[in-house]
Amino acid sequence: MSGECCKSGHGWLGKPKGTEQKLANNNAYITGSSNERAILLVPDIYGWTLNNSRLLADSYAEKLNAVVYVPDFYAGEIVHPDTLRDPERQKAFDMYEWAGRNSAEKRWPEVKACAEALKSKYAKVAAVGFCWGGWACLRLAADPSLIDAVSTAHPAMMEKGDFDNVKVPVQLIAPENDFTYTPEMKAYSLEALPKTGVQWEYVYFAGYNHGFASRGDLTTEKGVAGLERAKRSVINFFGEFL
């Protein structure tokens, strides 16, 4: 198993529309306007400052008439965006040391606190997570007092029990090639979710790789098509439950 595909990808062009504020005790990018609906976006290892995550947040805010929050869950540590395409930076960045500093056990209290803060203010709250954010969304989904629905694309760091314990609607965006959401884990999720009694959706992307929905190559037709389908999937799913 390798974490190389968590490091690589493509940065996206565009100017984010939101502002930087606080959510609970975490710095956060905030975009959109609503008194009723909020979305917690849990980013991949590139975190809350990566242009891609902020542009995704802007899209969700606009299409769902919601406020979207992208918190810093990595204690201020920023993986330089040039690492996406720079082999030397990728070689120097130790993915497993980073994961140790940002384990689920260490970061769950912050994720939970952010969800609680949103639930205290908004009637409906959803969470969407990419890669590292996958485990966080599934763990939130075990507690309906924290969240109303979750979606995760190419999730990482989850355990089989996370699928058993969900109690709110769940969407899984699954690329064909993924070292984190493996064929075994995909099979288990498809076996476990029907037993939970929740509404759930599995969206399969043949020919796509881990990271396509948050770091895909938008200079190619395939990259654009995959990203746009993934965004539509999240927007349509949350549109039912927010």
Side-chain angles (χ1 to χ4, degrees), residues 80-93:
H80 197 287
D82 286 353
T83 309
L84 286 165
R85 304 297 296 162
D86 186 334
E88 292 303 314
R89 284 185 180 271
Q90 290 174 14
K91 184 178 179 180
F93 174 56

Side-chain angles (χ1 to χ4, degrees), residues 137-138 141-142 150 161-168 170 193 196 198:
C137 288
L138 290 170
V150 303
D162 292 325
F163 295 105
D164 298 318
N165 295 329
V166 299
K167 295 180 177 64
V168 302
V170 173
L193 287 173
T196 64
V198 304

Side-chain angles (χ1 to χ4, degrees), residues 40 65 96 145 173 186 210-211:
L40 179 66
N65 295 315
Y96 293 98
S145 73
I173 294 176
K186 287 172 181 169
H210 178 86

Side-chain angles (χ1 to χ4, degrees), residues 182-210:
T182 62
E184 178 190 15
M185 193 65 82
K186 287 172 181 169
Y188 187 83
S189 63
L190 293 173
E191 176 186 333
L193 287 173
K195 299 176 183 177
T196 64
V198 304
Q199 297 295 321
W200 63 279
E201 181 174 275
Y202 178 89
V203 190
Y204 184 69
F205 286 75
Y208 285 85
N209 301 322
H210 178 86

Side-chain angles (χ1 to χ4, degrees), residues 60-73:
Y60 299 145
E62 179 183 356
K63 298 296 184 181
L64 289 161
N65 295 315
V67 184
V68 184
Y69 293 75
V70 188
D72 171 21
F73 288 124

Side-chain angles (χ1 to χ4, degrees), residues 20-229:
E20 294 183 2
Q21 301 179 40
K22 286 275 188 179
L23 177 62
N25 292 319
N26 296 58
N27 290 322
Y29 174 77
I30 303 174
T31 183
S33 177
S34 175
N35 295 322
E36 299 292 329
R37 294 174 297 279
I39 298 169
L40 179 66
L41 190 157
V42 189
D44 60 26
I45 67 169
Y46 283 90
W48 75 298
T49 61
L50 186 70
N51 212 43
N52 302 21
S53 294
R54 296 186 174 200
L55 293 173
L56 282 171
D58 288 347
S59 293
Y60 299 145
E62 179 183 356
K63 298 296 184 181
L64 289 161
N65 295 315
V67 184
V68 184
Y69 293 75
V70 188
D72 171 21
F73 288 124
Y74 309 137
E77 180 177 359
I78 303 296
V79 180
H80 197 287
D82 286 353
T83 309
L84 286 165
R85 304 297 296 162
D86 186 334
E88 292 303 314
R89 284 185 180 271
Q90 290 174 14
K91 184 178 179 180
F93 174 56
D94 191 316
M95 180 69 210
Y96 293 98
E97 286 187 2
W98 182 94
R101 292 191 296 274
N102 297 287
S103 66
E105 290 72 21
K106 290 181 179 178
R107 298 306 175 201
W108 170 244
E110 298 174 43
V111 173
K112 183 180 180 183
C114 286
E116 288 174 336
L118 294 180
K119 259 301 187 179
S120 71
K121 185 175 181 180
Y122 299 94
K124 293 287 186 177
V125 179
V128 58
F130 299 88
C131 308
W132 184 94
W135 71 268
C137 288
L138 290 170
R139 189 171 293 189
L140 286 171
D143 189 345
S145 73
L146 295 175
I147 211 77
D148 294 289
V150 303
S151 174
T152 179
H154 31 79
M157 293 173 59
M158 63 284 184
E159 300 175 354
K160 289 182 177 180
D162 292 325
F163 295 105
D164 298 318
N165 295 329
V166 299
K167 295 180 177 64
V168 302
V170 173
Q171 180 188 64
L172 300 167
I173 294 176
E176 179 179 2
N177 308 304
D178 194 340
F179 85 107
T180 61
Y181 193 22
T182 62
E184 178 190 15
M185 193 65 82
K186 287 172 181 169
Y188 187 83
S189 63
L190 293 173
E191 176 186 333
L193 287 173
K195 299 176 183 177
T196 64
V198 304
Q199 297 295 321
W200 63 279
E201 181 174 275
Y202 178 89
V203 190
Y204 184 69
F205 286 75
Y208 285 85
N209 301 322
H210 178 86
F212 83 96
S214 59
R215 302 185 304 275
D217 184 357
L218 302 190
T219 66
T220 68
E221 183 176 345
K222 179 180 178 181
V224 172
L227 171 65
E228 292 303 320
R229 182 181 168 214

